[in-house]
């Protein structure tokens, strides 16, 4: 390979990666960010052991303008958790009558009120469902799959919750 061609390839190898972010930004591409909440301070009524609450708090902390407070009296708005349940229901049986398919459900009901207890968002329920098959052979693997599905549902639920809170107009 000629030296001038080699130099041109080296220059191209440097220019293309450097130009890629500019090209992506020019097309309007942006990474998904946390939803901007319309409150400066927020109190959450999650149980201390709630996995949904832990993920919600983590995502709100990275939001630019909203700060979580420990006292409801200090908050501009309160997220009140009315129900947070996991459900597992048999939806299919084998020919011998053994459960073969389950439906996992994550049900979350909440409302949002301001510091004067005026309702900003009426009681709202989010229900997420996932189907899972049962196996007598891979019991441990199916339990792990179930836990993984619940974690995925929790992440999805928190994203939906953040979007609904961001949509509140005051």
């Amino acid at each position: 390979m000629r030296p001038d061609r080699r130099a041109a390839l080296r220059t191209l190898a440097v220019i293309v990666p450097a130009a890629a972010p500019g090209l992506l930004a020019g097309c309007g591409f942006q990474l998904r960010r946390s939803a901007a909440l319309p409150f400066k301070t927020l109190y959450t009524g999650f149980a201390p052991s709630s996995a949904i609450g832990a993920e919600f708090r983590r995502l709100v902390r990275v939001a630019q303008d909203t700060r979580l407070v420990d006292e409801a009296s200090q908050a501009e708005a309160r997220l009140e958790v009315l129900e947070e349940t996991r459900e597992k229901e048999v939806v299919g049986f084998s020919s011998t009558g053994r459960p073969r398919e389950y439906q996992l459900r994550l049900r979350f009901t909440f409302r949002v009120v301001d510091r004067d207890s005026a309702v900003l968002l009426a009681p709202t329920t989010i229900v997420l469902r996932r189907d899972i098959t049962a196996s007598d052979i891979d019991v441990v693997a199916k339990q792990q799959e179930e836990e993984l599905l619940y974690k995925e549902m929790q992440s999805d639920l928190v994203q939906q919750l953040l979007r609904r809170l961001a949509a509140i107009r005051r």
Side-chain angles (χ1 to χ4, degrees), residues 39-111:
F39 319 111
K40 296 290 182 202
T41 56
L42 179 67
Y43 173 80
T44 60
F46 288 102
S49 61
S50 169
I52 295 171
E55 186 165 349
F56 179 82
R57 285 187 290 271
R58 183 180 61 79
L59 288 177
V60 170
R61 283 190 183 107
V62 300
Q64 296 91 359
D65 297 332
T66 303
R67 184 173 53 89
L68 294 174
V69 293
D70 296 329
E71 296 291 325
S73 60
Q74 299 171 345
E76 189 177 326
R78 292 189 320 258
L79 170 69
E80 297 178 349
V81 178
L82 305 175
E83 178 188 20
E84 180 181 331
T85 57
R86 285 182 170 192
E87 301 168 353
K88 182 178 179 180
E89 182 181 349
V90 178
V91 293
F93 294 93
S94 69
S95 59
T96 60
R98 298 184 83 142
R100 279 290 162 211
E101 190 173 343
Y102 294 95
Q103 185 176 75
L104 306 177
R105 283 190 294 267
L106 186 58
R107 182 180 308 273
F108 184 76
T109 305
F110 68 99
R111 75 178 189 156

Side-chain angles (χ1 to χ4, degrees), residues 29-44:
F29 174 80
Q30 290 183 347
L31 292 174
R32 187 189 319 181
R33 296 184 218 159
S34 271
L37 301 180
F39 319 111
K40 296 290 182 202
T41 56
L42 179 67
Y43 173 80
T44 60

Side-chain angles (χ1 to χ4, degrees), residues 159-170:
Q159 290 298 324
Q160 286 188 38
L161 178 59
L162 283 169
R163 285 191 297 270
R164 289 181 190 208
L165 291 177
I168 294 174
R169 298 290 170 233
R170 303 184 59 197

